[in-house]
Coordinates of all heavy atoms in Angstrom, one line a residue:
L502 N 12.4 -18.1 19.3 CA 11.6 -17.8 18.2 C 10.3 -17.2 18.6 O 9.9 -17.2 19.7 CB 11.3 -19.0 17.3 CG 12.6 -19.6 16.7 CD1 12.1 -20.6 15.6 CD2 13.4 -18.6 16.0
E503 N 9.6 -16.6 17.6 CA 8.3 -16.0 17.8 C 7.3 -17.1 18.1 O 7.4 -18.2 17.8 CB 7.9 -15.2 16.6 CG 7.4 -15.9 15.4 CD 8.4 -16.7 14.5 OE1 9.6 -16.7 14.8 OE2 7.9 -17.4 13.6
S504 N 6.2 -16.6 18.7 CA 5.1 -17.5 19.2 C 5.5 -18.9 19.5 O 5.2 -19.9 18.8 CB 3.9 -17.5 18.1 OG 4.5 -17.5 16.8
V505 N 6.2 -19.0 20.5 CA 6.9 -20.2 20.9 C 5.9 -21.3 21.3 O 4.8 -21.0 21.9 CB 7.7 -20.0 22.2 CG1 9.0 -20.9 22.2 CG2 8.0 -18.6 22.4
T506 N 6.2 -22.5 20.9 CA 5.4 -23.7 21.4 C 6.3 -24.4 22.4 O 7.6 -24.3 22.3 CB 5.0 -24.6 20.3 OG1 6.3 -25.0 19.6 CG2 4.1 -24.0 19.4
S507 N 5.7 -25.1 23.3 CA 6.6 -25.8 24.3 C 7.3 -27.0 23.7 O 8.4 -27.4 24.2 CB 5.7 -26.3 25.5 OG 4.7 -27.1 25.0
F508 N 6.8 -27.5 22.6 CA 7.5 -28.6 22.0 C 8.2 -28.1 20.7 O 8.0 -27.0 20.2 CB 6.5 -29.7 21.6 CG 5.3 -29.2 20.8 CD1 5.4 -29.0 19.4 CD2 4.1 -28.8 21.5 CE1 4.3 -28.5 18.7 CE2 3.0 -28.3 20.8 CZ 3.1 -28.1 19.4
S509 N 9.1 -29.0 20.2 CA 9.9 -28.6 19.1 C 9.1 -28.6 17.8 O 8.2 -29.5 17.6 CB 11.1 -29.5 18.9 OG 11.8 -29.3 17.7
R510 N 9.3 -27.7 16.9 CA 8.6 -27.6 15.7 C 9.3 -28.3 14.5 O 8.8 -28.6 13.5 CB 8.2 -26.2 15.3 CG 7.2 -25.7 16.2 CD 6.7 -24.3 15.8 NE 7.6 -23.3 16.3 CZ 7.4 -22.0 16.2 NH1 6.3 -21.6 15.6 NH2 8.2 -21.1 16.7
C511 N 10.6 -28.5 14.8 CA 11.5 -29.0 13.7 C 12.2 -30.3 14.0 O 12.9 -30.8 13.1 CB 12.5 -27.9 13.3 SG 11.7 -26.3 12.9
Y512 N 12.1 -30.8 15.2 CA 12.8 -32.0 15.6 C 11.9 -33.1 16.1 O 10.8 -32.8 16.6 CB 13.8 -31.7 16.7 CG 15.0 -30.8 16.2 CD1 14.9 -29.4 16.3 CD2 16.1 -31.4 15.5 CE1 15.9 -28.6 15.8 CE2 17.1 -30.5 15.1 CZ 17.0 -29.2 15.2 OH 18.0 -28.4 14.7
M513 N 12.3 -34.3 16.0 CA 11.6 -35.4 16.5 C 12.6 -36.4 17.1 O 13.8 -36.3 16.8 CB 10.8 -36.1 15.4 CG 11.6 -36.6 14.3 SD 10.7 -37.2 12.9 CE 10.7 -39.0 13.2
Y514 N 12.1 -37.3 17.9 CA 13.0 -38.4 18.4 C 13.3 -39.4 17.3 O 12.4 -39.8 16.6 CB 12.4 -39.1 19.6 CG 12.4 -38.2 20.9 CD1 11.2 -37.8 21.4 CD2 13.6 -37.8 21.4 CE1 11.2 -37.0 22.6 CE2 13.6 -36.9 22.6 CZ 12.4 -36.5 23.1 OH 12.4 -35.7 24.2
D515 N 14.6 -39.8 17.3 CA 15.0 -40.7 16.2 C 15.1 -42.1 16.8 O 16.1 -42.6 17.2 CB 16.4 -40.3 15.7 CG 16.8 -41.0 14.5 OD1 15.9 -41.6 13.8 OD2 18.0 -41.1 14.2

Side-chain angles (χ1 to χ4, degrees):
L502 296 191
E503 79 285 357
S504 38
V505 215
T506 51
S507 57
F508 51 84
S509 174
R510 288 185 278 190
C511 306
Y512 292 92
M513 57 188 262
Y514 287 116
D515 190 17

